[in-house]
Amino acid sequence: MKPSNFAMDGICTLANDSVYDQLVALINSIEANAGRDLPICIYPYDDRLDRVRQLVSERPQVQLYCDRTSLDRWDSFVEEIWATHPTAQQQWQAIGSHGIHRQGTHRRFCAFDGPFDRFLYMDADTVLLSSVEPISQALETCDWVTYDYQHKDLTHVFTVAAPQLSQIFSAEQLRRQAFCSGFYAAKRGTFSPDQLGPILGYLQQGEAAVLYPMAPDQTILNYLVMRTGLASCNLALSLSVDQATGNSITSTHFTVEAGQVYDRGHPLTYLHYIGVSSRLFRQLCAGENVDFPYREVFLHYRYLHDPTSRPRLMGRLKPYQSVPGWRRYLSALTRQLTLGKSSGTQR
């Protein structure tokens, strides 16, 4: 069922050709569950955009963000931020990452200059599954709206061992306002140049030590939202226990029916394929029989408008446990499920 009054001006995402298959699935899911005419803006992760441009040419409601001034301004801003961090470069070099780690992820910040006054940002590794009316309603009274359980694990939000963290943010702030940067609603102009100048000053005075360099865009967004005192709302905390649903594929208790996913009978707003390498999506769409949680949901939306192109998967099923690169993800999965069980809300 389509939402009766989708108050967002559009949905934003971040992509390049490496995540083409995920991008198609996301756009198809938005068309199916929010309407075919809802505008979508893609922010370029980098310049690998040949397939993305072709996709944009085929979807009249989709645009590729090309404001070079905006892109350069945010690129420069994050370079200034990470120049203030005491150990980021050493940490990145230790894992073989040169320059700013995953610098393209910061391009999502361009949405604050972008075409939509009110927007929902969704990572390319998500699919929209139902109306986001509760999110648009929350944006009427809040500046920033999220819907996730990242607050259960702050280690991917801030450097929790940094002594400055408790001096800058209260325990209540961290418990209620920490969020995953893969899904949030906000407004154009949320962070003005007048706000960003003082932010750099705080970081240069030592607050940069709280930033977590391995999730560079997520830590900066959390810092910006909390440090500027935005009125934020996390529906995972504000909705009743009976209404709130999970969103991550790390949850194993969801049920699936005809491409829709349910948490204890309630439809998910979105599903986040967090931790799944884009390489696995490409291999799957090339016909390789690789497995990962809720694979059929992804395939449903990836080939929603072109079912005849859906690949016939060849060979024995390769469980994701045996696919290279998944060992670290399994460790994170176990950690998150343990956190969920200990809190009584495995989501």
Side-chain angles (χ1 to χ4, degrees):
M1 178 181 297
K2 306 297 186 297
S4 58
N5 180 27
F6 194 101
M8 300 291 178
D9 295 308
I11 292 181
C12 305
T13 192
L14 179 76
N16 63 9
D17 286 349
S18 292
V19 297
Y20 174 81
D21 293 301
Q22 295 138 282
L23 178 63
V24 173
L26 171 60
I27 292 174
N28 288 347
S29 73
I30 293 170
E31 291 181 351
N33 297 302
R36 294 181 67 91
D37 296 328
L38 182 68
I40 299 170
C41 184
I42 302 170
Y43 294 91
Y45 182 93
D46 55 26
D47 294 330
R48 294 173 294 164
L49 297 166
D50 291 343
R51 299 186 76 190
V52 171
R53 289 194 175 97
Q54 180 61 38
L55 177 62
V56 169
S57 72
E58 298 165 355
R59 308 282 180 120
Q61 83 282 21
V62 182
Q63 63 179 292
L64 178 65
Y65 192 71
C66 299
D67 186 332
R68 193 72 244 177
T69 299
S70 172
L71 291 164
D72 289 345
R73 183 170 72 86
W74 285 105
D75 283 352
S76 296
F77 178 66
V78 299
E79 287 170 5
E80 289 183 89
I81 284 182
W82 287 115
T84 69
H85 196 280
T87 63
Q89 286 296 333
Q90 296 94 308
Q91 292 185 54
W92 295 336
Q93 290 171 9
I95 61 170
S97 182
H98 302 287
I100 295 178
H101 181 54
R102 298 170 58 205
Q103 182 166 5
T105 61
H106 299 90
R107 292 281 184 83
R108 72 192 69 204
F109 300 171
C110 293
F112 303 121
D113 302 333
F116 308 137
D117 287 331
R118 295 159 53 89
F119 64 87
L120 173 65
Y121 174 85
M122 301 181 68
D123 267 351
D125 63 346
T126 63
V127 289
L128 185 65
L129 296 174
S130 62
S131 168
V132 293
E133 189 67 21
I135 295 167
S136 62
Q137 289 176 356
L139 199 58
E140 294 289 339
T141 55
C142 295
D143 301 313
W144 193 271
V145 182
T146 59
Y147 195 175
D148 65 75
Y149 296 84
Q150 188 65 55
H151 57 277
K152 293 183 177 181
D153 183 6
L154 292 176
T155 61
H156 287 76
V157 178
F158 293 118
T159 298
V160 295
Q164 297 94 325
L165 188 61
S166 61
Q167 300 167 11
I168 303 169
F169 305 122
S170 69
E172 181 68 3
Q173 271 186 297
L174 295 171
R175 187 183 74 82
R176 296 198 64 84
Q177 295 184 314
F179 61 89
C180 171
S181 64
F183 185 95
Y184 53 86
K187 303 166 186 174
R188 181 165 54 186
T190 292
F191 300 113
S192 69
D194 289 342
Q195 290 174 303
L196 298 181
I199 286 292
L200 280 174
Y202 300 144
L203 294 169
Q204 291 166 350
Q205 293 164 19
E207 293 189 9
V210 306
L211 299 180
Y212 175 62
M214 298 307 171
D217 64 277
Q218 179 161 286
T219 194
I220 289 176
L221 273 179
N222 272 268
Y223 179 84
L224 288 174
V225 170
M226 295 187 202
R227 197 65 175 87
T228 57
L230 290 183
S232 64
C233 169
N234 185 344
L235 295 186
L237 296 172
S238 62
L239 291 175
S240 70
V241 174
D242 291 337
Q243 290 178 303
T245 67
N247 56 68
S248 172
I249 61 163
T250 56
S251 292
T252 58
H253 66 284
F254 297 154
T255 57
V256 181
E257 296 178 23
Q260 299 304 100
V261 187
Y262 299 86
D263 184 349
R264 299 163 295 117
H266 298 288
L268 269 62
T269 297
Y270 71 105
L271 184 64
H272 194 173
Y273 287 86
I274 191 166
V276 182
S277 167
S278 59
R279 175 175 53 83
L280 293 184
F281 289 99
R282 292 195 299 272
Q283 290 174 330
L284 177 66
C285 293
E288 192 169 339
N289 198 9
V290 294
D291 191 24
F292 49 80
Y294 305 100
R295 181 182 76 169
E296 290 303 310
V297 177
F298 165 76
L299 287 170
H300 170 82
Y301 284 107
R302 169 63 179 87
Y303 297 100
L304 186 66
H305 300 319
D306 190 15
T308 59
S309 296
R310 178 168 170 160
R312 293 185 61 187
L313 303 179
M314 307 299 291
R316 296 177 59 185
L317 180 70
K318 297 180 180 179
Y320 63 88
Q321 293 95 329
S322 66
V323 177
W326 272 84
R327 293 188 181 277
R328 286 178 295 178
Y329 173 66
L330 284 174
S331 176
L333 167 67
T334 302
R335 174 178 171 77
Q336 185 150 340
L337 290 179
T338 301
L339 285 165
K341 290 175 181 177
S342 66
S343 69
T345 54
Q346 181 182 332
R347 293 295 172 84

